[in-house]
Amino acid sequence: MSFVRRAAGALIHRVYGAIRHAGAITPLSPAGYRFRRLGDGVSIAFPPGAIFGEQWIEIGDHTLIGERVSISCGMMPGADLGPDSILRIGRGCSIGRGSHIVAHQSIDIGADVFTGPYVYITDQNHVYDDPDVPIGRQWPRNSPVSIGSGSWLGAGAIILPGTTLGRQCVVAGGAVVRGTFPDHSVVAGVPAKLVRGYTPELGWHAPSGPIPLNRRATAS
C-alpha cells in the first residue's frame, strides 16, 4: 500500500509539474501574443492571477512573474485605454507570488526590481470628496507611479498612487508608501517614512546622519 501511495504521489507531482510548465505564459504561448511586448525569457507562472488589458502591458526580457500575480490595465476587460502602453515592467525583474499590479494611467517599474510576495502596486485611489455619495460610486483619481531600477519591495508592501521611488531603494515589508523618495532610500512604516539613506561621504545613515569626519572639529 505504501508503494502504491508513493507511486501515486510521484505521478501527481509529475502531472502537476507538466501542467504548470504548459500553463505558464511566455512569449511563445498563445496568451503571450496578447501583450504589447513580452520580452525574451519572460515567464508568468501558472496559475496566474487576473490578467487583462494585455495590449497596454510591456514586460522586459527575462522577467519572472510568480504564481497568482494579477497584472491588469483599466477597470475591466475591453476598455479602450488609448494608443500608449500603461504598465511597463523592466528586464530582469522578479515579482513575488500573489502580488497585484493594477494600472490605469501609468506605472513604470525599472529593471532588476525584486518583490516579496503579496505586494500591491496601483496608480488609482478611490476618493471620498462627496460625503453623500458612496465611496465606491465616486470617480477614482489617478496619479502615475515610478519604481527605480534595482529596488526591492518587501512582502506585503503597498505602493500608492503618486509614488516615485529612486534607484536601488528598499521598501520594508508591510510598508504603505506614498510620495517621492530619492535613490538609495530605505523606507518603512505606515505611512512609510525615510529611515535610512546613502551618500558616498557617510555611507548608509539615518536621515539626519552623523557629522562627517571632516566636519567634526568645526562642529565641536
Side-chain angles (χ1 to χ4, degrees):
M1 183 64 70
S2 60
F3 172 78
V4 172
R5 284 195 186 125
R6 286 198 300 271
L11 177 61
I12 289 169
H13 283 291
R14 284 199 298 271
V15 169
Y16 184 64
I19 290 171
R20 289 185 63 193
H21 179 75
I25 299 173
T26 72
L28 301 179
S29 64
Y33 295 123
R34 295 200 293 264
F35 288 79
R36 176 172 292 241
R37 179 175 184 268
L38 216 56
D40 293 339
V42 169
S43 179
I44 301 174
F46 177 88
I51 298 177
F52 58 85
E54 294 96 324
Q55 68 194 87
W56 291 280
I57 299 174
E58 300 182 34
I59 302 178
D61 297 348
H62 305 294
T63 283
L64 303 177
I65 310 290
E67 296 178 8
R68 297 179 175 84
V69 171
S70 294
I71 46 176
S72 62
C73 289
M75 293 185 182
M76 63 192 72
D80 184 356
L81 303 177
D84 301 320
S85 61
I86 290 176
L87 171 55
R88 295 164 291 275
I89 302 175
R91 59 172 175 77
C93 295
S94 178
I95 308 299
R97 64 177 294 158
S99 295
H100 297 263
I101 306 174
V102 183
H104 298 83
Q105 180 179 357
S106 177
I107 294 179
D108 274 295
I109 298 174
D112 300 308
V113 172
F114 283 62
T115 86
Y118 308 109
V119 167
Y120 183 71
I121 304 169
T122 185
D123 61 358
Q124 186 177 88
N125 249 344
H126 291 285
V127 300
Y128 49 90
D129 298 337
D130 190 331
D132 298 320
V133 175
I135 293 169
R137 298 188 182 280
Q138 298 189 46
W139 195 253
R141 189 172 294 124
N142 301 331
S143 188
V145 168
S146 177
I147 298 171
S149 295
S151 294
W152 162 259
L153 311 182
I158 298 173
I159 311 299
L160 293 174
T163 294
T164 297
L165 292 172
R167 296 176 59 255
Q168 304 284 120
C169 288
V170 175
V171 175
V176 178
V177 184
R178 173 181 284 161
T180 299
F181 298 89
D183 295 351
H184 303 104
S185 292
V186 179
V187 298
V190 181
K193 296 181 181 179
L194 181 68
V195 296
R196 297 190 82 190
Y198 177 87
T199 62
E201 298 81 12
L202 300 176
W204 292 99
H205 57 84
S208 56
I211 300 172
L213 289 172
N214 61 352
R215 297 183 186 174
R216 285 183 182 171
T218 303
S220 61

